[in-house]
Amino acid sequence: MTSDQNVALARQMFMSQKKDSTVYLLLALFLGGLGVHHFYLGRTTAGVLHLVFCWTLVPVFLSIAHAINSSKAVRERNMEIAQRLAVGLNVPVDELLKIAFL
């Protein structure tokens, strides 16, 4: 594959894997006590901890804080996805980070 094909493939893969901050915010607000927003971002351990302790209502309060910081969490996850794809497909990270912040 040429580098242009790798860049196009990396962009396509990133667009299919990137996370949406609106979806994360809604999940944190309405299903945050069960940790669904953590599962959405791929943080399985945090999601399971929310599930285990959902009966204490502590995860509900934590999910409100997560909803407030939703854009930061999604931005960080999208950067992780872009970096992983860039390394795996030997593409400059800058190419994918441009898309990550659109």
Side-chain angles (χ1 to χ4, degrees):
M1 276 190 169
T2 65
S3 68
D4 289 338
Q5 288 174 329
N6 279 351
V7 170
L9 178 62
R11 284 183 180 176
Q12 183 180 11
M13 289 177 71
F14 177 75
M15 292 303 289
S16 69
Q17 294 179 20
K18 79 176 192 169
K19 305 302 178 188
D20 186 1
S21 59
T22 305
V23 172
Y24 179 83
L25 174 67
L26 292 173
L27 289 173
L29 287 175
F30 295 111
L31 298 171
L34 299 175
V36 175
H37 60 296
H38 287 298
F39 290 113
Y40 177 69
L41 288 188
R43 295 190 221 147
T44 308
T45 305
V48 169
L49 286 173
H50 273 247
L51 269 174
V52 169
F53 292 105
C54 68
W55 61 273
T56 66
L57 296 181
V58 170
V60 173
F61 297 114
L62 290 174
S63 67
I64 293 170
H66 294 155
I68 293 169
N69 294 322
S70 63
S71 62
K72 180 183 176 193
V74 172
R75 185 173 46 246
E76 288 173 357
R77 180 63 180 144
N78 283 340
M79 286 178 56
E80 291 172 12
I81 293 169
Q83 290 171 346
R84 183 176 40 85
L85 287 173
V87 169
L89 294 173
N90 197 22
V91 173
V93 177
D94 296 341
E95 291 288 330
L96 296 177
L97 290 180
K98 290 177 193 175
I99 301 169
F101 294 114
L102 292 179

